[in-house]
Amino acid sequence: MEYDIIQTEKGKNIALVTTVNTISTSQDALDLLMNCMYNGADGLVLNENFLHPDFFELKSGIAGNVLQVFSTYNGYLAIVGQFDRHNSKSLSDFIYESNKQGRIGFVESQTAAIEFLNQNIR
């Protein structure tokens, strides 16, 4: 696992994950979150390619389990990707609700991810 930590203009430390094994379980998510938080990160930016493809099949339960870790441990996450290609109403609704809550964001660029986290980390 590799990441760079940057500091935003609001003083938030954001881990930009550059390399990580595929996140497919809640333990994978917990390991990543704890490692980043231990090193001072307030939030994480993760490319969708680092998530197991079944993450985007909500019936698999992976998305719920992974996001529950961030909620339980007060973590913030922005996932960068092109989510409209998944053609799933339930996934679109899930993304909409997640973005509205502010703890987990699904965005289209690293810049948008940093802005999302900068605005939502408490």
Side-chain angles (χ1 to χ4, degrees):
M1 145 185 351
E2 295 178 17
Y3 51 87
D4 298 313
I5 296 183
I6 63 164
Q7 189 172 68
T8 70
E9 67 274 2
K10 289 187 176 182
K12 306 299 180 187
N13 293 322
I14 308 295
L16 306 175
V17 179
T18 56
T19 306
V20 68
N21 291 333
T22 301
I23 306 294
S24 59
T25 67
S26 55
Q27 186 62 51
D28 296 338
L30 181 60
D31 291 346
L32 176 62
L33 176 61
M34 289 298 116
N35 189 295
C36 291
M37 287 177 75
Y38 177 79
N39 286 296
D42 300 309
L44 288 75
V45 174
L46 186 68
N47 190 287
E48 72 173 317
N49 296 335
F50 295 134
L51 297 167
H52 191 281
D54 287 347
F55 178 94
F56 300 101
E57 294 292 332
L58 295 183
K59 64 184 176 192
S60 74
I62 294 174
N65 292 338
V66 167
L67 277 72
Q68 183 62 46
V69 166
F70 281 83
S71 180
T72 300
Y73 294 95
N74 200 31
Y76 288 84
L77 174 66
I79 301 170
V80 177
Q82 301 300 317
F83 309 106
D84 55 351
R85 65 185 168 93
H86 294 285
N87 296 323
S88 166
K89 171 123 173 61
S90 58
L91 179 63
S92 294
D93 292 345
F94 180 79
I95 289 171
Y96 174 80
E97 288 300 322
S98 293
N99 286 350
K100 192 166 94 172
Q101 295 290 324
R103 180 165 301 280
I104 311 294
F106 293 82
V107 297
E108 293 185 0
S109 70
Q110 182 173 298
T111 302
I114 293 167
E115 181 60 28
F116 174 86
L117 293 171
N118 198 37
Q119 294 299 318
N120 288 288
I121 293 173
R122 297 185 194 347

